[in-house]
Amino acid sequence: MKALVAVKRVVDANVKAQVKSDGSGVDIASVKMSMNPFDEIAVEEAVRLKEKGVVTEVIAVSCGDAKCQETLRTAMAIGADRGILVETTEELQPLAVAKLLKALVDKEQPSMVILGKQAIDDDANQTGQMLAALADLPQATFASKVELAGDKLNVTREVDGGLETISLSLPAVITTDLRLNEPRYVTLPNIMKAKKKQLDIFKPEDLGVDVKPRLKTLKVSEPPKRGAGIKVPDVATLVDKLKNEAKVI
């Protein structure tokens, strides 16, 4: 059984993102970049399934510029067997990434595709769902537990009312939630081994995919500064301010 795992290179979660002065986007010129945390969980889950004997090969995939090779090497250091980079300098939107992944699904024929539920840069939460639709595959989003039961995959997913367990036929698409697992610490020996693992590079045109952006960002701005708190003399004043100024009651 083969598992395909998508990973994205994003601004590190511990870095405070800065908006460009012209409002055209987020400045990533001189900030630390790393693997999207939800994708790291996806890689960890695929590797754990391999360690259990459920999966035989884990393939990490990333779409973007040449620097995404670093992200793929990190995925291979965690335990992925090989990597695939779809290299392009175009701005990649969720639909374009889903189409690229669909082309790779057709090429590699994996039994499961695992993605993070969303990327922490655009928070779109769309790619997994779009991929499932394009590839006509069953999907389980926001997975907090994944188990193989015979030829079915039982996925416990987080919903508004609590937890829901669904059974999927394979092949299937899974998107990972925060509580699925805790990714392992990447050791130096595994980082060195990852440098020798196979990494194939394709262009979007090699896969027959048009990645031209369909959406245009008009403006990016920082949220308004939070105002200082105030003290009120009594409950009546508090209620009055909540009702007439904040308008929350």
Side-chain angles (χ1 to χ4, degrees):
M1 185 182 294
K2 195 184 293 185
L4 192 74
V5 186
V7 297
K8 185 178 183 181
R9 182 174 182 264
V10 299
V11 175
D12 190 89
N14 298 310
V15 173
K16 187 183 186 311
Q18 301 290 332
V19 176
K20 292 180 181 178
S21 57
D22 61 0
S24 61
V26 175
D27 186 7
I28 61 171
S30 58
V31 300
K32 181 183 178 183
M33 306 291 283
S34 60
M35 187 189 301
N36 178 47
F38 290 105
D39 296 342
E40 195 173 359
I41 291 170
V43 176
E44 174 67 26
E45 190 63 22
V47 172
R48 290 188 185 190
L49 289 171
K50 183 186 174 186
E51 291 170 347
K52 292 177 183 177
V54 174
V55 169
T56 55
E57 184 182 26
V58 177
I59 308 163
V61 178
S62 191
C63 306
D65 60 24
K67 293 179 181 178
C68 292
Q69 292 187 41
E70 300 171 10
T71 308
L72 287 170
R73 292 296 178 192
T74 300
M76 289 188 275
I78 293 173
D81 298 291
R82 57 187 172 96
I84 297 174
L85 171 62
V86 183
E87 188 175 346
T88 178
T89 55
E90 281 273 14
E91 176 198 351
L92 291 175
Q93 295 174 351
L95 180 59
V97 176
K99 288 180 176 179
L100 292 171
L101 292 176
K102 197 269 182 182
L104 291 173
V105 166
D106 292 341
K107 179 181 175 64
E108 295 288 343
Q109 295 293 308
S111 294
M112 65 179 75
V113 185
I114 310 178
L115 310 87
K117 70 172 183 177
Q118 65 195 78
I120 62 171
D121 52 2
D122 57 16
D123 274 335
N125 181 22
Q126 295 175 334
T127 306
Q129 293 89 327
M130 288 178 169
L131 171 61
L134 290 170
D136 194 24
L137 295 175
Q139 62 175 312
T141 56
F142 314 122
S144 60
K145 188 176 182 181
V146 177
E147 292 179 313
L148 187 70
D151 60 346
K152 301 286 186 181
L153 204 63
N154 290 339
V155 178
T156 302
R157 55 188 302 270
E158 301 194 2
V159 295
D160 290 341
L163 298 176
E164 174 186 65
T165 301
I166 58 176
S167 178
L168 306 176
S169 57
L170 297 174
V173 176
I174 303 164
T175 70
T176 62
D177 211 334
L178 193 63
R179 280 159 287 277
L180 179 59
N181 61 53
E182 185 175 338
R184 68 194 67 191
Y185 177 76
V186 179
T187 62
L188 182 59
N190 286 336
I191 293 173
M192 301 307 292
K193 289 177 186 176
K195 293 181 179 181
K196 299 180 180 179
K197 291 184 178 180
Q198 179 182 344
L199 198 163
D200 300 317
I201 300 177
F202 298 97
K203 300 288 186 183
E205 49 267 31
D206 297 334
L207 302 172
V209 177
D210 175 17
V211 296
K212 184 179 178 181
R214 264 66 174 179
L215 307 173
K216 180 181 179 181
T217 300
L218 300 179
K219 184 181 180 182
V220 176
S221 58
E222 291 191 18
K225 300 292 184 183
R226 185 174 179 179
I230 61 170
K231 290 183 179 181
V232 293
D234 50 45
V235 174
T237 307
L238 173 62
V239 172
D240 179 66
K241 288 185 176 293
L242 290 175
K243 185 176 182 180
N244 299 312
E245 291 184 20
K247 298 187 185 302
V248 295
I249 60 172

Short mmCIF file of all heavy atoms in Angstrom, two decimals, residues 123-152:
data_model
loop_
_atom_site.label_atom_id
_atom_site.label_comp_id
_atom_site.label_asym_id
_atom_site.label_seq_id
_atom_site.Cartn_x
_atom_site.Cartn_y
_atom_site.Cartn_z
N ASP A 123 -4.77 29.59 5.33
CA ASP A 123 -5.90 29.02 6.09
C ASP A 123 -7.09 28.65 5.19
O ASP A 123 -8.24 28.75 5.59
CB ASP A 123 -6.39 30.01 7.18
CG ASP A 123 -5.60 29.87 8.47
OD1 ASP A 123 -5.05 28.78 8.71
OD2 ASP A 123 -5.52 30.84 9.22
N ALA A 124 -6.80 28.22 3.96
CA ALA A 124 -7.88 27.99 2.99
C ALA A 124 -8.72 26.76 3.34
O ALA A 124 -9.94 26.77 3.19
CB ALA A 124 -7.30 27.84 1.58
N ASN A 125 -8.08 25.67 3.79
CA ASN A 125 -8.82 24.43 4.10
C ASN A 125 -9.64 23.99 2.89
O ASN A 125 -10.83 23.73 2.98
CB ASN A 125 -9.71 24.65 5.33
CG ASN A 125 -10.48 23.40 5.74
OD1 ASN A 125 -10.09 22.29 5.39
ND2 ASN A 125 -11.57 23.57 6.44
N GLN A 126 -8.99 23.92 1.72
CA GLN A 126 -9.69 23.59 0.49
C GLN A 126 -9.04 22.47 -0.32
O GLN A 126 -9.72 21.73 -1.02
CB GLN A 126 -9.79 24.84 -0.43
CG GLN A 126 -10.63 25.96 0.14
CD GLN A 126 -10.59 27.20 -0.73
OE1 GLN A 126 -9.62 27.43 -1.47
NE2 GLN A 126 -11.63 27.99 -0.68
N THR A 127 -7.71 22.36 -0.24
CA THR A 127 -6.99 21.49 -1.18
C THR A 127 -7.41 20.04 -1.08
O THR A 127 -7.65 19.38 -2.09
CB THR A 127 -5.47 21.63 -0.96
OG1 THR A 127 -5.10 22.99 -1.03
CG2 THR A 127 -4.71 20.84 -2.01
N GLY A 128 -7.53 19.50 0.14
CA GLY A 128 -7.93 18.10 0.31
C GLY A 128 -9.29 17.82 -0.28
O GLY A 128 -9.50 16.82 -0.98
N GLN A 129 -10.24 18.70 0.00
CA GLN A 129 -11.60 18.52 -0.50
C GLN A 129 -11.64 18.62 -2.02
O GLN A 129 -12.34 17.85 -2.69
CB GLN A 129 -12.53 19.57 0.12
CG GLN A 129 -12.74 19.41 1.62
CD GLN A 129 -11.72 20.14 2.47
OE1 GLN A 129 -10.56 20.27 2.09
NE2 GLN A 129 -12.14 20.63 3.63
N MET A 130 -10.91 19.58 -2.58
CA MET A 130 -10.87 19.73 -4.04
C MET A 130 -10.23 18.51 -4.69
O MET A 130 -10.69 18.03 -5.74
CB MET A 130 -10.09 20.99 -4.42
CG MET A 130 -10.83 22.29 -4.13
SD MET A 130 -9.82 23.73 -4.55
CE MET A 130 -11.02 25.04 -4.43
N LEU A 131 -9.16 17.99 -4.09
CA LEU A 131 -8.50 16.80 -4.62
C LEU A 131 -9.46 15.61 -4.64
O LEU A 131 -9.54 14.87 -5.64
CB LEU A 131 -7.25 16.46 -3.80
CG LEU A 131 -6.59 15.12 -4.13
CD1 LEU A 131 -6.12 15.08 -5.57
CD2 LEU A 131 -5.43 14.86 -3.17
N ALA A 132 -10.18 15.41 -3.54
CA ALA A 132 -11.14 14.30 -3.46
C ALA A 132 -12.20 14.41 -4.56
O ALA A 132 -12.58 13.42 -5.18
CB ALA A 132 -11.80 14.26 -2.09
N ALA A 133 -12.65 15.64 -4.81
CA ALA A 133 -13.66 15.85 -5.85
C ALA A 133 -13.09 15.58 -7.24
O ALA A 133 -13.71 14.90 -8.06
CB ALA A 133 -14.21 17.28 -5.77
N LEU A 134 -11.89 16.10 -7.51
CA LEU A 134 -11.28 15.93 -8.83
C LEU A 134 -10.94 14.47 -9.12
O LEU A 134 -11.11 13.98 -10.25
CB LEU A 134 -10.00 16.78 -8.94
CG LEU A 134 -10.19 18.30 -8.98
CD1 LEU A 134 -8.84 19.00 -8.84
CD2 LEU A 134 -10.86 18.71 -10.28
N ALA A 135 -10.46 13.76 -8.08
CA ALA A 135 -10.05 12.37 -8.26
C ALA A 135 -11.20 11.39 -8.03
O ALA A 135 -11.03 10.18 -8.20
CB ALA A 135 -8.90 12.04 -7.31
N ASP A 136 -12.37 11.92 -7.62
CA ASP A 136 -13.55 11.09 -7.34
C ASP A 136 -13.23 10.02 -6.30
O ASP A 136 -13.49 8.83 -6.47
CB ASP A 136 -14.07 10.44 -8.63
CG ASP A 136 -15.48 9.86 -8.45
OD1 ASP A 136 -16.21 10.35 -7.55
OD2 ASP A 136 -15.85 8.93 -9.18
N LEU A 137 -12.64 10.49 -5.17
CA LEU A 137 -12.25 9.59 -4.09
C LEU A 137 -13.02 9.94 -2.82
O LEU A 137 -13.36 11.09 -2.59
CB LEU A 137 -10.74 9.71 -3.80
CG LEU A 137 -9.78 9.27 -4.90
CD1 LEU A 137 -8.34 9.58 -4.49
CD2 LEU A 137 -9.94 7.79 -5.21
N PRO A 138 -13.29 8.94 -1.96
CA PRO A 138 -13.91 9.24 -0.66
C PRO A 138 -12.94 10.05 0.19
O PRO A 138 -11.72 9.94 0.03
CB PRO A 138 -14.16 7.85 -0.06
CG PRO A 138 -13.21 6.95 -0.75
CD PRO A 138 -13.04 7.49 -2.13
N GLN A 139 -13.47 10.87 1.08
CA GLN A 139 -12.60 11.72 1.89
C GLN A 139 -13.04 11.73 3.35
O GLN A 139 -14.21 11.55 3.67
CB GLN A 139 -12.60 13.16 1.36
CG GLN A 139 -13.97 13.83 1.41
CD GLN A 139 -13.92 15.28 0.98
OE1 GLN A 139 -13.08 16.04 1.45
NE2 GLN A 139 -14.83 15.67 0.10
N ALA A 140 -12.04 11.96 4.23
CA ALA A 140 -12.30 12.14 5.66
C ALA A 140 -11.47 13.34 6.09
O ALA A 140 -10.24 13.29 6.07
CB ALA A 140 -11.92 10.90 6.44
N THR A 141 -12.14 14.42 6.46
CA THR A 141 -11.43 15.64 6.86
C THR A 141 -11.33 15.73 8.38
O THR A 141 -12.07 15.09 9.11
CB THR A 141 -12.16 16.88 6.32
OG1 THR A 141 -13.52 16.86 6.77
CG2 THR A 141 -12.16 16.89 4.79
N PHE A 142 -10.39 16.53 8.85
CA PHE A 142 -10.19 16.79 10.30
C PHE A 142 -9.99 15.48 11.08
O PHE A 142 -10.59 15.29 12.14
CB PHE A 142 -11.37 17.58 10.88
CG PHE A 142 -11.80 18.74 10.04
CD1 PHE A 142 -13.09 18.84 9.56
CD2 PHE A 142 -10.89 19.74 9.70
CE1 PHE A 142 -13.49 19.91 8.77
CE2 PHE A 142 -11.28 20.81 8.90
CZ PHE A 142 -12.58 20.89 8.44
N ALA A 143 -9.15 14.59 10.56
CA ALA A 143 -8.96 13.29 11.20
C ALA A 143 -8.18 13.41 12.51
O ALA A 143 -7.14 14.05 12.57
CB ALA A 143 -8.22 12.35 10.25
N SER A 144 -8.70 12.77 13.57
CA SER A 144 -7.99 12.72 14.84
C SER A 144 -7.56 11.29 15.18
O SER A 144 -6.85 11.07 16.15
CB SER A 144 -8.86 13.28 15.97
OG SER A 144 -10.06 12.54 16.11
N LYS A 145 -7.99 10.31 14.36
CA LYS A 145 -7.56 8.93 14.54
C LYS A 145 -7.78 8.18 13.22
O LYS A 145 -8.82 8.33 12.59
CB LYS A 145 -8.34 8.24 15.66
CG LYS A 145 -7.83 6.85 16.03
CD LYS A 145 -8.61 6.29 17.22
CE LYS A 145 -8.09 4.93 17.64
NZ LYS A 145 -8.86 4.37 18.78
N VAL A 146 -6.78 7.38 12.82
CA VAL A 146 -6.85 6.63 11.56
C VAL A 146 -6.49 5.17 11.84
O VAL A 146 -5.43 4.89 12.41
CB VAL A 146 -5.89 7.21 10.50
CG1 VAL A 146 -5.92 6.37 9.23
CG2 VAL A 146 -6.25 8.65 10.18
N GLU A 147 -7.38 4.25 11.46
CA GLU A 147 -7.13 2.82 11.67
C GLU A 147 -7.56 2.04 10.43
O GLU A 147 -8.62 2.33 9.84
CB GLU A 147 -7.92 2.30 12.87
CG GLU A 147 -7.47 2.83 14.21
CD GLU A 147 -8.33 2.28 15.35
OE1 GLU A 147 -9.57 2.30 15.22
OE2 GLU A 147 -7.76 1.83 16.36
N LEU A 148 -6.77 1.03 10.07
CA LEU A 148 -7.15 0.15 8.98
C LEU A 148 -7.94 -1.02 9.53
O LEU A 148 -7.54 -1.66 10.49
CB LEU A 148 -5.90 -0.37 8.25
CG LEU A 148 -6.17 -1.17 6.98
CD1 LEU A 148 -6.70 -0.27 5.87
CD2 LEU A 148 -4.91 -1.88 6.51
N ALA A 149 -9.11 -1.28 8.93
CA ALA A 149 -9.95 -2.41 9.35
C ALA A 149 -10.29 -3.23 8.11
O ALA A 149 -11.22 -2.92 7.37
CB ALA A 149 -11.22 -1.91 10.02
N GLY A 150 -9.48 -4.27 7.88
CA GLY A 150 -9.66 -5.07 6.67
C GLY A 150 -9.29 -4.26 5.45
O GLY A 150 -8.19 -3.71 5.36
N ASP A 151 -10.22 -4.14 4.51
CA ASP A 151 -9.97 -3.34 3.32
C ASP A 151 -10.59 -1.95 3.44
O ASP A 151 -10.69 -1.21 2.46
CB ASP A 151 -10.51 -4.05 2.07
CG ASP A 151 -12.02 -4.29 2.15
OD1 ASP A 151 -12.59 -4.16 3.27
OD2 ASP A 151 -12.62 -4.64 1.12
N LYS A 152 -11.00 -1.59 4.67
CA LYS A 152 -11.60 -0.28 4.92
C LYS A 152 -10.69 0.54 5.84
O LYS A 152 -9.85 -0.01 6.57
CB LYS A 152 -12.97 -0.42 5.58
CG LYS A 152 -14.00 -1.20 4.77
CD LYS A 152 -14.51 -0.39 3.60
CE LYS A 152 -15.64 -1.15 2.89
NZ LYS A 152 -16.15 -0.38 1.73
#
